[in-house]
Amino acid sequence: MGGLVLTQSFDLLVIGGGIHGAAVARDAAGRGLKVMLAEKGDYASATSSASSKLIHGGLRYLEHLELSLVRESLVERAGLLETAPHLIAPIRFLLPIYGWQKRQALRLRAGLAIYDVLSFGDALPASGRLDDDDIAQLPRLRQENLTTVLHYHDCMTDDARLTLAVLLDAGARGADIKNRRAVTSIVPLANGYGIDLDERGQKRRVEARFIVNASGPWVGNVDAMTEAAPPRRPLRLVRGSHIVLKMPEPPQADAYTLQDEEERVVFVIPWLDRRFLIVGTTDVLHQGDPALAKCSAEEEAYLLQAYNRYFAGARGPAAHADIVFTWSGVRALDGDTETKPSRITRKPALAEIANGTGGFVTLYGGKLTTHRALAEEVMASLRRLGAEVGGPWTKDVKLHGGSLPRSELLARAEHGPESIPPDMRRRWALTYGDQIEVLFKRIAAEPALVDEIAPGVTRAELEYAVQAEDAMTAEDFLLRRTKLQLLLDAAGRAAVRQWFATAA
């Protein structure tokens, strides 16, 4: 490590800017630790932006008797509805039951009853059964051999924005948060670790008493940087892929939980104001670099087959040509090689090791929904290793942008500046939350900021994304700060890329 100058020391270095690294950084900073977070790419640029966009208990985990995981998830779901109301919204799921399915209505009704009990107190509607008239009016759902349709509620989110909200909250509490900051080496010291960083092209060295490896599918690579990492646990890399279809006419408001022949679950979820349908996910063992994960032709065919088995469109079955977008994320799960990928538990596992008065914690598994609770487990692990930290504090504490109830937020958007179209104000409200006031104030001070770089994309929004949210590329903005990648045409996307190339 010669030739570098020591610039700073930290209590904790968190490696990974996905949802779990973000949650650990936030929790640790709020307990008084001096925290740095290093993300080699963009925030949430891997698994944390490639989920099914759900904040849910995980109905299928009941079948595996993981009651504690489901209960924890449902408690966290209720909390997120309050702490990030701009990003979390309830949605009704329909569960159609056909004669050919192995799981029949009685068994599933029992599962939903348990789900209701475990979610007691969250104010979401109870599960139930649609009446025959409602079933007959469901658009496109095949009616042949259909015995009944059950319903229950869960929640949707923008996973990348949720990760960013946690990160920005961590930054507001003093954590040193930065993307394009890659860890290049880790060397054990007497009481902690020395770390080399490549920070947007600049070489830097820091010291940290503790390290938390929350790098998702790269946990093995990071642990391999030092002999002073925790003992390895069995790691399974499981790819989950999704396809996106344009919403058929008439649009559907409900999501669906579908069963396939192998008793897996596939979701069909309305997305982006019912403009699209998300169909996913798969569970496939992943080989190779997780950064190169893509939805394979086999996964596309599987998801199309699952969709077409349940739905009949006026224009015929959905086909490859109807897919407008795909994504794939790789989950780093703690599981043995004998278990089917779809049956490997999503419960997190931690590995830890002391190094002098410091230590190293590696995180496996975990769910988007339970990120806050998992961060508390990591903090307990750090305390066991000798970290002097305060007690838990994050429960029911608002996330960045989440101070206003959704109804009040939308009311403020409705009465915002007339120079901004109503649909843009609404999109801003449900993207930036209470920070919409920052955008409004910028525009009031400099009216020219409402100039559009692309249809529906103002200079005010682009500059805010760069200055306040670390967006460095058009992809950062189009895919993760927003979802405009799907809403703009080719010319609009090109205009945003040109702006980042010349003005950002």
Side-chain angles (χ1 to χ4, degrees):
M1 295 175 65
L4 296 179
V5 177
L6 179 65
T7 57
Q8 214 168 356
S9 295
F10 293 85
D11 298 317
L12 172 65
L13 171 70
V14 179
I15 303 175
I19 189 62
H20 295 119
V24 171
R26 176 189 184 227
D27 197 336
R31 299 193 198 209
L33 295 185
K34 186 178 181 182
V35 178
M36 170 185 272
L37 181 139
E39 165 54 52
K40 66 177 181 177
D42 186 29
Y43 307 131
S45 57
T47 312
S48 292
S49 59
S51 74
S52 298
K53 321 298 183 195
L54 296 179
I55 298 297
H56 65 140
L59 184 61
R60 69 188 181 92
Y61 305 137
L62 290 177
E63 191 170 42
H64 305 155
L65 300 179
E66 295 187 275
L67 298 182
S68 62
L69 176 61
V70 176
R71 174 57 183 166
E72 179 183 61
S73 300
L74 291 170
V75 169
E76 293 301 310
R77 184 187 72 179
L80 283 165
L81 279 165
E82 299 297 323
T83 59
H86 58 306
L87 297 175
I88 314 296
I91 185 170
R92 188 174 73 165
F93 277 78
L94 302 183
L95 212 170
I97 312 297
Y98 291 84
W100 54 265
Q101 293 172 343
K102 293 181 180 178
R103 302 183 188 97
Q104 285 299 303
L106 185 61
R107 177 180 174 187
L108 291 169
R109 283 295 296 268
L112 288 174
I114 296 171
Y115 207 62
D116 288 341
V117 170
L118 294 176
S119 62
F120 177 77
D122 64 7
L124 292 183
S127 64
R129 175 192 175 278
L130 294 186
D131 63 36
D132 292 343
D133 288 341
D134 288 338
I135 292 173
Q137 295 177 36
L138 292 172
R140 292 173 296 282
L141 184 69
R142 295 184 184 275
Q143 301 287 322
E144 309 86 31
N145 206 21
L146 179 63
T147 59
T148 193
V149 176
L150 308 179
H151 64 80
Y152 67 99
H153 275 72
D154 260 319
C155 295
M156 282 202 72
T157 192
D158 180 329
D159 47 9
R161 290 293 316 180
L162 179 61
T163 301
L164 186 65
V166 178
L167 283 163
L168 292 174
D169 190 275
R173 298 176 190 280
D176 181 342
I177 304 295
K178 187 168 282 189
N179 54 4
R180 275 81 186 193
R181 171 190 275 165
V183 173
T184 57
S185 72
I186 302 171
V187 173
L189 305 176
N191 295 297
Y193 299 85
I195 303 101
D196 286 346
L197 303 170
D198 184 335
E199 193 169 285
R200 302 178 182 177
Q202 298 294 315
K203 306 299 182 184
R204 182 179 178 189
R205 177 193 289 176
V206 298
E207 290 183 357
R209 185 177 166 201
F210 297 96
I211 289 176
V212 169
N213 178 3
S215 59
W218 290 276
V219 290
N221 304 63
V222 172
D223 278 0
M225 290 183 178
T226 175
E227 295 179 356
R232 293 197 175 193
R233 297 183 63 92
L235 174 64
R236 302 288 299 279
L237 297 183
V238 178
R239 186 173 69 248
S241 296
H242 299 74
I243 61 174
V244 179
L245 308 172
K246 282 189 176 180
M247 177 67 77
E249 291 292 340
Q252 67 190 57
D254 296 307
Y256 280 84
T257 299
L258 311 180
Q259 305 174 63
D260 73 1
E261 294 91 336
E262 296 182 5
E263 300 187 58
R264 285 195 71 261
V265 165
V266 174
F267 297 118
V268 176
I269 308 167
W271 192 39
L272 298 179
D273 290 329
R274 304 178 189 174
R275 292 182 176 94
F276 302 97
L277 287 173
I278 298 171
V279 183
T281 182
T282 60
D283 287 292
V284 179
L285 291 178
H286 183 77
Q287 306 291 331
D289 186 350
L292 303 179
K294 292 183 179 180
C295 183
S296 67
E298 292 78 12
E299 288 172 292
E300 281 190 9
Y302 166 77
L303 293 173
L304 285 170
Q305 181 182 29
Y307 177 82
N308 288 325
R309 184 165 196 177
Y310 282 83
F311 299 99
R315 298 170 53 189
H320 172 77
D322 298 309
I323 298 174
V324 297
F325 198 69
T326 70
W327 66 77
S328 298
V330 179
R331 316 172 190 99
L333 303 180
D334 178 53
D336 61 63
T337 58
E338 303 301 318
T339 305
K340 286 184 177 180
S342 62
R343 290 188 173 271
I344 300 174
T345 182
R346 269 49 174 177
K347 290 181 67 174
L350 303 178
E352 62 185 59
I353 193 169
N355 185 43
T357 61
F360 195 124
V361 179
T362 296
L363 192 160
Y364 298 79
K367 294 178 57 189
L368 179 72
T369 304
T370 55
H371 66 271
R372 189 205 63 82
L374 178 52
E376 288 189 341
E377 292 185 37
V378 173
M379 297 309 298
S381 181
L382 291 175
R383 185 184 288 111
R384 287 193 297 272
L385 292 170
E388 298 177 357
V389 297
W393 65 273
T394 55
K395 187 173 177 59
D396 301 326
V397 176
K398 299 285 188 178
L399 288 173
H400 181 85
S403 68
L404 299 175
R406 179 173 281 237
S407 58
E408 183 177 341
L409 184 61
L410 291 174
R412 291 197 185 188
E414 185 178 351
H415 296 98
E418 293 184 0
S419 59
I420 308 168
D423 58 341
M424 189 188 303
R425 296 198 302 265
R426 176 182 170 82
R427 179 176 67 78
W428 283 5
L430 299 180
T431 301
Y432 304 106
D434 59 32
Q435 297 302 295
I436 192 175
E437 298 290 352
V438 175
L439 287 162
F440 288 169
K441 288 176 181 177
R442 288 186 178 208
I443 289 167
E446 189 179 346
L449 288 175
V450 299
D451 292 346
E452 291 192 352
I453 303 302
V457 184
T458 63
R459 187 156 60 90
E461 184 177 15
L462 288 166
E463 290 185 2
Y464 178 83
V466 170
Q467 296 164 11
E469 298 186 345
D470 284 345
M472 298 183 69
T473 69
E475 179 181 292
D476 293 352
F477 177 76
L478 292 170
L479 279 178
R480 289 179 289 277
R481 305 305 181 275
T482 70
K483 294 295 177 284
L484 290 169
Q485 177 75 22
L486 285 99
L487 302 178
L488 294 175
D489 61 16
R493 295 191 297 269
V496 172
R497 285 194 292 270
Q498 180 64 24
W499 186 87
F500 271 91
T502 58

